Coordinates of all heavy atoms in Angstrom, one line a residue:
L1 N 0.9 -1.2 0.0 CA 0.0 0.0 0.0 C 0.9 1.2 0.0 O 0.6 2.2 -0.8 CB -0.9 0.0 1.2 CG -1.9 1.1 1.3 CD1 -3.2 0.6 1.9 CD2 -1.4 2.3 2.2
F2 N 1.9 1.3 0.8 CA 2.8 2.4 0.8 C 3.5 2.6 -0.5 O 3.6 3.7 -1.0 CB 3.9 2.2 1.9 CG 3.3 2.5 3.3 CD1 2.7 1.5 4.0 CD2 3.5 3.7 4.0 CE1 2.2 1.7 5.3 CE2 3.0 4.0 5.2 CZ 2.4 2.9 5.9
S3 N 4.1 1.5 -1.0 CA 4.9 1.7 -2.3 C 4.0 2.0 -3.4 O 4.4 2.8 -4.3 CB 5.7 0.4 -2.5 OG 4.9 -0.8 -2.8
R4 N 2.8 1.4 -3.6 CA 2.0 1.8 -4.7 C 1.6 3.3 -4.7 O 1.3 3.8 -5.8 CB 0.7 0.9 -4.6 CG 0.8 -0.5 -5.1 CD -0.5 -1.2 -5.3 NE -1.3 -1.2 -4.1 CZ -1.3 -2.0 -3.0 NH1 -0.3 -3.0 -3.1 NH2 -2.1 -1.8 -2.1
R5 N 1.5 3.8 -3.6 CA 1.1 5.3 -3.6 C 2.4 6.2 -3.4 O 2.1 7.4 -3.2 CB 0.2 5.5 -2.4 CG -1.2 4.9 -2.7 CD -2.0 4.6 -1.5 NE -3.3 4.0 -1.8 CZ -3.6 2.8 -2.1 NH1 -2.7 1.9 -2.2 NH2 -4.8 2.3 -2.5
G6 N 3.5 5.6 -3.5 CA 4.7 6.4 -3.5 C 5.1 7.0 -2.1 O 5.8 8.0 -2.0
Y7 N 4.7 6.4 -1.0 CA 5.0 6.7 0.3 C 6.3 6.0 0.7 O 6.3 4.8 0.6 CB 3.9 6.5 1.4 CG 2.6 7.2 1.0 CD1 1.4 6.5 1.0 CD2 2.5 8.6 0.6 CE1 0.2 7.1 0.7 CE2 1.3 9.1 0.2 CZ 0.2 8.5 0.3 OH -1.0 9.0 0.0
N8 N 7.2 6.7 1.3 CA 8.5 6.1 1.8 C 8.3 5.8 3.2 O 7.8 6.6 4.1 CB 9.7 7.0 1.6 CG 11.0 6.4 1.9 OD1 11.2 5.2 1.5 ND2 11.9 7.0 2.6
I9 N 8.8 4.4 3.5 CA 8.8 4.0 5.0 C 10.2 4.3 5.5 O 11.2 3.8 4.9 CB 8.4 2.6 5.1 CG1 7.0 2.3 4.7 CG2 8.7 2.0 6.5 CD1 6.6 0.9 4.6
D10 N 10.3 5.1 6.5 CA 11.6 5.3 7.2 C 12.1 4.1 8.0 O 13.3 3.8 8.1 CB 11.6 6.6 8.1 CG 11.2 7.9 7.3 OD1 11.6 8.0 6.1 OD2 10.7 8.8 7.9
S11 N 11.1 3.6 8.7 CA 11.5 2.5 9.6 C 10.3 1.5 9.7 O 9.2 2.0 9.7 CB 11.8 3.0 11.0 OG 12.0 1.9 11.9
L12 N 10.5 0.2 9.8 CA 9.5 -0.8 9.8 C 9.9 -1.9 10.8 O 11.1 -2.4 10.7 CB 9.3 -1.4 8.5 CG 8.3 -2.6 8.4 CD1 6.9 -2.0 8.5 CD2 8.5 -3.3 6.9
S13 N 9.1 -2.2 11.7 CA 9.4 -3.4 12.6 C 8.0 -4.1 12.7 O 6.9 -3.5 12.8 CB 9.9 -2.9 14.0 OG 9.0 -2.3 14.8
V14 N 8.1 -5.4 12.9 CA 6.9 -6.3 13.1 C 7.2 -7.4 14.1 O 8.2 -7.8 14.2 CB 6.6 -7.0 11.7 CG1 5.3 -7.9 11.8 CG2 6.6 -6.1 10.5
G15 N 6.2 -7.6 14.9 CA 6.3 -8.7 15.8 C 5.0 -9.1 16.4 O 4.0 -8.5 16.2
A16 N 5.0 -10.2 17.1 CA 3.8 -10.7 17.7 C 3.3 -9.7 18.7 O 4.0 -9.0 19.3 CB 4.0 -12.1 18.4
S17 N 1.9 -9.7 18.9 CA 1.4 -8.8 19.9 C 1.0 -9.7 21.2 O 1.2 -10.9 21.3 CB 0.1 -8.1 19.3 OG -0.9 -9.0 19.2
E18 N 0.2 -9.0 22.1 CA -0.3 -9.8 23.3 C -1.4 -10.7 22.9 O -1.6 -11.6 23.7 CB -0.9 -8.7 24.3 CG -2.1 -7.9 23.8 CD -1.7 -6.7 22.9 OE1 -0.5 -6.4 22.6 OE2 -2.6 -6.1 22.4
D19 N -1.9 -10.6 21.7 CA -2.9 -11.6 21.3 C -2.4 -12.3 20.1 O -2.0 -11.7 19.1 CB -4.2 -10.9 20.8 CG -5.4 -11.7 20.5 OD1 -5.2 -12.9 20.0 OD2 -6.5 -11.2 20.4
I20 N -2.3 -13.7 20.2 CA -1.6 -14.5 19.2 C -2.2 -14.4 17.8 O -1.7 -14.7 16.8 CB -1.4 -16.0 19.6 CG1 -2.9 -16.6 19.8 CG2 -0.6 -16.1 20.9 CD1 -2.8 -18.1 20.1
R21 N -3.5 -13.9 17.8 CA -4.1 -13.7 16.5 C -3.7 -12.5 15.7 O -3.9 -12.5 14.5 CB -5.7 -13.6 16.7 CG -6.4 -14.8 17.3 CD -7.8 -14.4 17.6 NE -7.9 -13.4 18.6 CZ -9.0 -12.7 18.9 NH1 -10.1 -12.9 18.2 NH2 -8.9 -11.7 19.8
Y22 N -2.9 -11.6 16.3 CA -2.4 -10.4 15.7 C -1.0 -10.1 15.8 O -0.5 -10.5 16.9 CB -3.3 -9.2 16.4 CG -4.7 -9.2 16.2 CD1 -5.5 -9.6 17.3 CD2 -5.4 -9.0 15.1 CE1 -6.9 -9.7 17.2 CE2 -6.8 -9.1 14.9 CZ -7.5 -9.5 16.0 OH -8.8 -9.6 15.9
S23 N -0.5 -9.4 14.8 CA 0.9 -8.9 15.0 C 0.8 -7.4 14.9 O -0.1 -6.8 14.4 CB 1.7 -9.3 13.7 OG 1.9 -10.8 13.7
R24 N 1.8 -6.8 15.5 CA 1.9 -5.3 15.5 C 2.9 -4.9 14.6 O 4.1 -5.3 14.7 CB 2.2 -4.8 16.9 CG 2.3 -3.3 17.0 CD 2.7 -2.8 18.4 NE 2.0 -3.5 19.5 CZ 0.7 -3.2 20.0 NH1 0.1 -2.2 19.4 NH2 0.2 -3.9 20.9
I25 N 2.6 -4.0 13.6 CA 3.5 -3.5 12.7 C 3.7 -2.0 13.1 O 2.7 -1.3 13.3 CB 3.1 -3.4 11.2 CG1 2.7 -4.9 10.7 CG2 4.0 -2.8 10.3 CD1 2.0 -5.1 9.4
T26 N 5.0 -1.6 13.3 CA 5.2 -0.1 13.7 C 6.0 0.5 12.4 O 7.0 -0.1 12.0 CB 6.2 -0.2 14.9 OG1 5.5 -0.8 15.9 CG2 6.4 1.4 15.2
V27 N 5.3 1.4 11.9 CA 5.9 2.2 10.8 C 6.2 3.6 11.1 O 5.4 4.3 11.6 CB 5.0 2.1 9.6 CG1 5.4 2.9 8.4 CG2 4.5 0.7 9.2
S28 N 7.4 4.0 10.7 CA 7.8 5.4 10.9 C 8.0 6.1 9.6 O 8.5 5.4 8.7 CB 9.2 5.5 11.6 OG 9.6 6.8 11.7
L29 N 7.3 7.2 9.3 CA 7.3 7.8 8.0 C 7.3 9.4 8.1 O 7.0 9.9 9.2 CB 6.2 7.4 7.1 CG 4.8 7.8 7.6 CD1 4.0 8.2 6.5 CD2 4.2 6.7 8.3
H30 N 7.7 10.1 7.1 CA 7.7 11.5 7.1 C 6.6 11.9 6.2 O 6.4 11.4 5.1 CB 9.0 12.1 6.7 CG 10.0 12.2 7.8 ND1 10.7 11.1 8.2 CD2 10.3 13.2 8.7 CE1 11.5 11.4 9.2 NE2 11.3 12.7 9.5
G31 N 5.9 13.0 6.5 CA 4.8 13.5 5.7 C 3.9 14.5 6.4 O 4.0 14.7 7.7
D32 N 3.0 15.2 5.8 CA 2.2 16.2 6.5 C 1.0 15.4 6.9 O 0.8 14.2 6.7 CB 1.9 17.3 5.6 CG 1.2 16.9 4.3 OD1 0.4 15.9 4.2 OD2 1.3 17.6 3.3
E33 N 0.2 16.1 7.8 CA -0.9 15.6 8.4 C -2.0 14.9 7.4 O -2.4 13.8 7.5 CB -1.7 16.6 9.2 CG -0.9 17.1 10.4 CD -0.6 16.1 11.5 OE1 -1.4 15.2 11.7 OE2 0.4 16.2 12.0
R34 N -2.1 15.6 6.3 CA -3.0 15.1 5.2 C -2.5 13.7 4.7 O -3.3 12.8 4.5 CB -3.1 16.1 4.1 CG -4.2 15.8 3.0 CD -4.1 16.8 1.9 NE -2.8 16.7 1.1 CZ -2.3 15.8 0.3 NH1 -3.1 14.8 0.0 NH2 -1.1 15.9 -0.2
V35 N -1.3 13.6 4.4 CA -0.8 12.4 3.9 C -0.9 11.2 4.9 O -1.4 10.2 4.5 CB 0.8 12.6 3.5 CG1 1.4 11.2 3.3 CG2 0.9 13.5 2.4
V36 N -0.6 11.5 6.2 CA -0.7 10.5 7.1 C -2.1 10.0 7.3 O -2.5 8.9 7.5 CB 0.0 11.0 8.4 CG1 -0.3 9.9 9.6 CG2 1.4 11.1 8.3
E37 N -3.1 11.1 7.4 CA -4.6 10.7 7.4 C -5.0 9.9 6.3 O -5.7 8.8 6.5 CB -5.4 12.0 7.5 CG -6.8 11.8 7.8 CD -7.6 13.1 7.9 OE1 -7.0 14.1 8.6 OE2 -8.6 13.3 7.4
Q38 N -4.5 10.1 5.1 CA -4.9 9.4 3.9 C -4.3 7.9 4.1 O -5.0 7.0 3.8 CB -4.3 10.0 2.7 CG -4.8 9.3 1.4 CD -4.2 10.0 0.2 OE1 -3.3 10.9 0.3 NE2 -4.7 9.6 -1.0
I39 N -3.2 7.7 4.6 CA -2.5 6.5 4.8 C -3.3 5.6 5.7 O -3.6 4.5 5.5 CB -1.1 6.6 5.1 CG1 -0.3 7.1 4.1 CG2 -0.5 5.2 5.6 CD1 1.3 7.5 4.4
Q40 N -3.7 6.3 6.8 CA -4.4 5.6 7.8 C -5.8 5.0 7.3 O -6.2 4.0 7.6 CB -4.7 6.6 9.1 CG -3.5 6.7 9.9 CD -3.7 7.7 11.1 OE1 -3.8 8.9 10.9 NE2 -4.0 7.1 12.3
K41 N -6.5 6.0 6.6 CA -7.7 5.5 6.0 C -7.5 4.4 5.0 O -8.3 3.4 5.0 CB -8.4 6.7 5.3 CG -9.0 7.7 6.3 CD -9.6 9.0 5.5 CE -10.2 10.0 6.5 NZ -10.6 11.2 5.8
Q42 N -6.5 4.5 4.2 CA -6.3 3.4 3.3 C -5.9 2.1 3.9 O -6.4 0.9 3.6 CB -5.2 3.8 2.3 CG -5.6 4.9 1.3 CD -4.6 5.5 0.5 OE1 -3.3 5.3 0.7 NE2 -4.9 6.5 -0.4
L43 N -5.1 2.1 5.0 CA -4.8 1.0 5.8 C -6.0 0.3 6.4 O -6.2 -0.9 6.4 CB -3.8 1.3 6.9 CG -2.3 1.6 6.4 CD1 -1.5 2.2 7.5 CD2 -1.6 0.3 5.9
A44 N -6.9 1.2 7.0 CA -8.1 0.7 7.6 C -9.0 -0.1 6.6 O -9.7 -0.9 7.1 CB -8.8 1.8 8.3

């Protein structure tokens, strides 16, 4: 999703969460509020 829309990921880490059904992805990126809001909506 990030690469198709031309957004650069500065940092990415992934690991198991407290619930074995889910993993937590932590993404660090640079951008303005509008870009981040758009990314959040697309991820959701």
Side-chain angles (χ1 to χ4, degrees):
L1 182 143
F2 283 84
S3 65
R4 281 190 308 276
R5 287 158 178 82
Y7 303 132
N8 188 45
I9 294 173
D10 295 330
S11 172
L12 173 75
S13 67
V14 184
S17 73
E18 63 282 357
D19 185 334
I20 62 169
R21 298 175 295 164
Y22 301 104
S23 291
R24 181 182 315 277
I25 301 173
T26 304
V27 177
S28 172
L29 65 142
H30 279 82
D32 60 32
E33 295 296 326
R34 185 188 59 78
V35 168
V36 173
E37 186 177 317
Q38 183 181 15
I39 290 170
Q40 286 180 280
K41 287 178 181 176
Q42 292 168 351
L43 285 168

